Structure formats: C-alpha cells, structure tokens
C-alpha cells in the first residue's frame, strides 16, 4: 500500500515541478508585468498544490498532509492578493519610462 | 540520492553567493535591498538543510522579514535617489579581506574534531534536567541563558538609541480595500502563529525571538496599512511591555545568584516555570520593541 502511494506520488511531483519551471520561465520571458504576474501566481500556485499532493502521498501521514494543505491555502491567498495589488499599482502608476528602460 | 543532495546543496551555495554579490554590488539601492531579502530567505533554506530549523525560522522572520521592512523604510527616507559611491578600488580590497577571512575560517574549521564535540554531548545529556525537552531551547534559556539575556538587552538598547533620533515626517497613503481585507486576515494569523511558536519552543523549534518577530510583523502590518496607529510611547503599558522581558530575566538572574546555585543557574524543580515565565516576558518585549523599531511614530519621536 505504501509503495502504491509512493508510485502515485511521483506524477504529481513531476507535474508540480513542470508548472514551477513554466511559471519561472514566464516571469523571465513574458513581455509585460501583467502576463508575468499571471505566470508567477497561477502556475506557481498550481505547482505548489501538485507538489503538496505528491508530498502528502509520500509522507503517508494525514496530519502532515493537512498542514501542507494549510500552507498551500495561505500561499494561494497571498499570491492572489499580491498579484492584484501589484497589477493595480502598475495600472495606476504614471506611465513613464523608468530608469530601467520601461521594464 | 547523494548526488542529488550534492547538486542541491551546491546550487543553494551558489545562490547564496550570487544573491550576496547582488546585494553588495547592485547600483540601485532598491535592488540591493530586494537581493538582501532574497538572500535572507535562501539562507533560511540553508539553515533548514543543515538541520537547524530554529535558525531557519529566525533568519526568515528577522533576517529577511523585519530587516527587509527596516531597509525599505530607510530607503523611503533617502532624500533623493541615493547611489552607491563607486570607489574603483573597493571591490579589490573587499576581495582581499574576504580571502583572508576565508583562509582563517578554513584553518579554524579544519582543526575541529569530526562528529559531536564533548561539550555538545554534555549539553544533550543535561537536557532532561533543564526543564524543557527541546535541546536548542535548553541551551538558549538554561545552559547559556546569559547570552540570551544580553540579546534581549541589545534589542532594548537599539530601541533606546532610536528614541534619540529625529525622523522625517511620514504619511502613509490610504491602503486599498483589498490590502485592508488581507491585513485583517493576516494580522490575527501572525499573532496566532507567534503564540504557537512560543508554546512549541519547549519541545520543538520555536521560541521567544521567532515568536516575537511574527507578532511584531502582525502589528507592523496593521500600522503600515493604517488600521492601527503606531504604539504610543507615552502610554505606560507600552513602556511596561518593553521593559518586562529584561526585568524578569534580570530578576531571575539575581534571585538565582543570591538564593540559589549561582547567576542564572536555575534549580531543576523550578526551571520549567522560570523558563516559561522568561520566555513569555521576553516575547512580549521583543514583539513590542521590534514593532516600535520599524514602525515608530515620527511625530512622537520628534517632540
């Protein structure tokens, strides 16, 4: 049974890693701040959720899993909030080229 | 698995060095601060990898969180866009100094015996008599309580030094509704987590400094978004909570020195109660002091 859950965990962990890498690439490569925010908050939240599922299956402990899910919920809420705040800041900022050439 | 560990640790080490270089040599001060905060978070990971979760918690809460807020608010007070002075010979000189330091450190570490030193074994053996189950708390609050007392006094000294300064007037813009709602959710949570960390310190990683930093973070968040005013120094309760930690610690030290076995040598029957009392008092003082260190009311300071 333990081995079965361990095997089941790996696809989740790999998918989690994939979404983290995708989110990071998005932050590095996307052209403007809105799409970069989109990449980092959505993809990383999903990646963390999948990683939590995988690690929960690996740990085999309900308590540990619940704690990790709590952490995930907190990260999800803070990511969504920070994303909205940064996006509003960017939208209401006077649109001038800053010292880094508009990035 | 050993290879994976080596790769992971190596990447962490490179990341620490890169972020430190970024914090030191960034031309924009704002970027340097952001690098510094990231450095604190990665250092916390390093401590966790080394099996020192107490240090990881303290590094993340104080090193990255509170120091980060402190640096960012210092940056806001810069009169104009400050730039680092570009002394051409500075990097070379720092490099030589770091190299010398590195050689000395390697020499010092090389001579250390492998495995656990005798003093560590003695400390672990004495943990059951210390009144707490967690070895780190036993060392911090019992075997080496003198060091912790001095650390609590350092926080007090820093706050007293800040009281001597005048700060430029600062006004915070009105916070957006979303930020207000989020702060209302997060501030009680950080208080809850702070108390949990304090209580857990008896048998697991946690303790006064981590707990105090978390509570201070909650207070600061309420202050920065304008949900609560700055803690007023004029109020007796505020000054009392700042002094209660050092006072109780010093009283315990004097009581053990005059009535018991010696300066801060707790009698085993009493040690759990004494340590709990000191921890709660120290946490209160650290939380209020840290909140005031970062979020003092400039108008009150300038009076």
């Amino acid at each position: 049974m333990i081995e079965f859950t361990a095997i089941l965990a790996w696809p989740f962990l790999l998918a989690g890693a994939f979404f983290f890498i995708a989110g990071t690439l998005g932050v590095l490569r996307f052209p403007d701040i809105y799409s970069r925010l989109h990449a980092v908050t959505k993809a990383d939240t999903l990646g963390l959720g999948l990683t939590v599922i995988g690690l929960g299956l690996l740990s085999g402990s309900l308590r540990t899993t619940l704690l990790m899910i709590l952490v995930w919920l907190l990260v999800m809420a803070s990511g969504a909030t920070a994303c909205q705040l940064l996006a509003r800041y960017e939208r209401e900022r006077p649109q001038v080229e800053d010292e880094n050439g508009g990035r | 698995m050993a290879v994976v560990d080596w790769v992971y640790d190596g990447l962490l080490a490179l990341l620490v060095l890169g972020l430190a270089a970024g914090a030191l040599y960034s031309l924009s001060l704002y970027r340097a601060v952001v690098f510094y905060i990231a450095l604190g978070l990665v250092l916390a990971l390093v401590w966790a990898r080394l099996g020192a979760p107490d240090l990881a918690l303290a590094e993340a809460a104080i090193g990255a969180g509170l120091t980060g807020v402190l640096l960012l608010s210092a940056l806001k007070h810069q009169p104009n866009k400050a730039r680092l002075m570009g002394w051409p010979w500075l990097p070379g000189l720092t490099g030589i100094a770091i190299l010398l330091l590195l050689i000395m450190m390697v020499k010092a570490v090389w001579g250390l015996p492998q495995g656990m030193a005798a003093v560590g074994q003695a400390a672990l053996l004495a943990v059951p008599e210390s009144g707490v189950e967690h070895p780190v708390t036993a060392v911090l609050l019992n075997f080496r309580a003198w060091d912790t007392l001095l650390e609590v006094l350092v926080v007090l000294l820093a706050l007293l030094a800040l009281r001597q300064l005048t700060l430029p007037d600062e006004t915070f813009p009105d916070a957006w509704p979303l930020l207000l709602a989020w702060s209302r959710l997060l501030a009680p949570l950080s208080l809850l987590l702070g108390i949990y960390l304090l209580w857990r310190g008896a048998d697991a990683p946690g303790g006064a400094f981590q707990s105090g930093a978390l509570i201070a973070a909650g207070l600061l968040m309420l202050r920065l978004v304008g949900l609560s005013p700055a803690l007023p120094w004029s109020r007796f309760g505020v000054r009392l909570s700042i002094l209660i930690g050092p006072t109780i610690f010093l009283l315990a030290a004097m009581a053990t020195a005059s009535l018991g076995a010696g300066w801060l040598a707790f009698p085993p029957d009493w040690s759990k109660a004494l340590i709990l009392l000191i921890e709660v008092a120290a946490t209160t003082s650290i939380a209020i002091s840290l909140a005031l260190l970062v979020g003092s009311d400039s108008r009150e300071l300038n009076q």
Side-chain angles (χ1 to χ4, degrees), chain A residues 74 77-78 81 84-85 88-89 92 99-100, chain B residues 31 81 83 176-179 182 186 189 196:
Chain A
L74 197 62
S78 83
T81 314
Q84 294 292 323
L85 291 173
R88 179 166 173 191
Y89 175 78
E92 297 187 357
E99 55 179 319
N100 306 319
Chain B
R31 260 185 208 188
K81 286 210 162 185
R83 298 226 156 231
W176 293 327
L178 179 65
L179 187 57
W182 179 235
L186 211 54
L189 211 59
Y196 168 71

Side-chain angles (χ1 to χ4, degrees), chain B residues 112-172:
Chain B
L112 290 178
Q114 289 289 313
M116 196 186 287
V119 61
Q121 274 161 356
L124 275 185
L125 281 178
V127 165
E129 297 156 27
S130 69
V132 288
E133 287 94 59
H134 186 50
V136 176
T137 309
V139 170
L140 285 182
L141 266 301
N142 197 333
F143 311 146
R144 304 285 304 173
W146 181 222
D147 297 1
T148 310
L149 171 58
L150 290 180
E151 281 168 21
V152 172
L153 289 178
V154 163
V155 175
L156 180 65
L157 274 181
L159 186 60
L160 291 179
L162 176 85
R163 300 283 315 165
Q164 315 307 317
L165 302 174
T166 49
L167 299 178
D169 273 341
E170 54 181 340
T171 47
F172 298 103

Side-chain angles (χ1 to χ4, degrees), chain B:
Chain B
M1 266 332 231
V3 180
V4 177
D5 284 352
W6 270 99
V7 170
Y8 185 64
D9 289 343
L11 281 178
L12 265 186
L14 286 179
L15 203 56
V16 165
L17 290 176
L19 288 171
L24 284 176
Y25 296 118
S26 270
L27 280 180
S28 129
L29 277 180
Y30 177 75
R31 260 185 208 188
V33 171
V34 173
F35 270 124
Y36 180 83
I37 295 173
L39 172 70
L41 291 176
V42 176
L43 268 185
L45 262 184
V46 170
W47 287 122
R49 282 290 291 171
L50 288 171
D54 296 80
L55 279 171
L57 281 170
E59 180 65 49
I62 302 175
L66 279 179
T67 318
V69 176
L70 201 62
L71 289 173
L72 283 176
S73 80
L75 206 58
K76 212 179 79 176
H77 290 148
Q78 292 283 330
N80 43 28
K81 286 210 162 185
R83 298 226 156 231
L84 293 181
M85 276 171 283
W87 292 327
W89 38 267
L90 193 62
L93 213 63
T94 350
I96 293 172
I98 289 174
L99 203 67
L100 285 176
L101 202 65
L102 198 67
I103 292 171
M104 275 154 48
M105 274 168 67
V106 167
K107 268 189 85 171
V109 171
W110 209 257
L112 290 178
Q114 289 289 313
M116 196 186 287
V119 61
Q121 274 161 356
L124 275 185
L125 281 178
V127 165
E129 297 156 27
S130 69
V132 288
E133 287 94 59
H134 186 50
V136 176
T137 309
V139 170
L140 285 182
L141 266 301
N142 197 333
F143 311 146
R144 304 285 304 173
W146 181 222
D147 297 1
T148 310
L149 171 58
L150 290 180
E151 281 168 21
V152 172
L153 289 178
V154 163
V155 175
L156 180 65
L157 274 181
L159 186 60
L160 291 179
L162 176 85
R163 300 283 315 165
Q164 315 307 317
L165 302 174
T166 49
L167 299 178
D169 273 341
E170 54 181 340
T171 47
F172 298 103
D174 286 341
W176 293 327
L178 179 65
L179 187 57
L180 288 179
W182 179 235
S183 311
R184 284 204 182 94
L185 192 72
L186 211 54
L189 211 59
S190 79
L191 180 68
L192 182 71
L193 271 176
I195 295 172
Y196 168 71
L197 271 184
L198 172 66
W199 182 248
R200 223 173 74 119
D203 56 0
F209 273 89
Q210 293 93 328
S211 160
L214 264 179
I215 298 173
L219 290 172
L220 271 176
M221 171 175 269
L222 291 180
R223 154 95 174 112
L224 290 176
V225 302
L227 279 173
S228 86
L231 295 167
W233 182 264
S234 53
R235 188 161 300 164
F236 178 72
V238 171
R239 281 170 294 162
L240 181 71
S241 11
I242 290 166
L243 285 176
I244 193 157
T247 311
I248 291 211
F249 218 144
L250 278 173
L251 281 179
M254 286 193 286
T256 49
S258 54
L259 307 172
W263 185 257
L264 284 172
F266 302 140
D269 300 341
W270 286 65
S271 56
K272 179 156 181 89
L274 272 177
I275 287 177
L276 190 64
L277 184 69
I278 291 174
E279 284 259 59
V280 171
T283 305
T284 313
S285 293
I286 291 167
I288 304 291
S289 304
L290 289 179
L292 272 174
L293 266 177
V294 182
S296 267
D297 187 0
S298 52
R299 267 162 303 175
E300 195 187 42
L301 268 182
N302 297 344
Q303 271 168 14

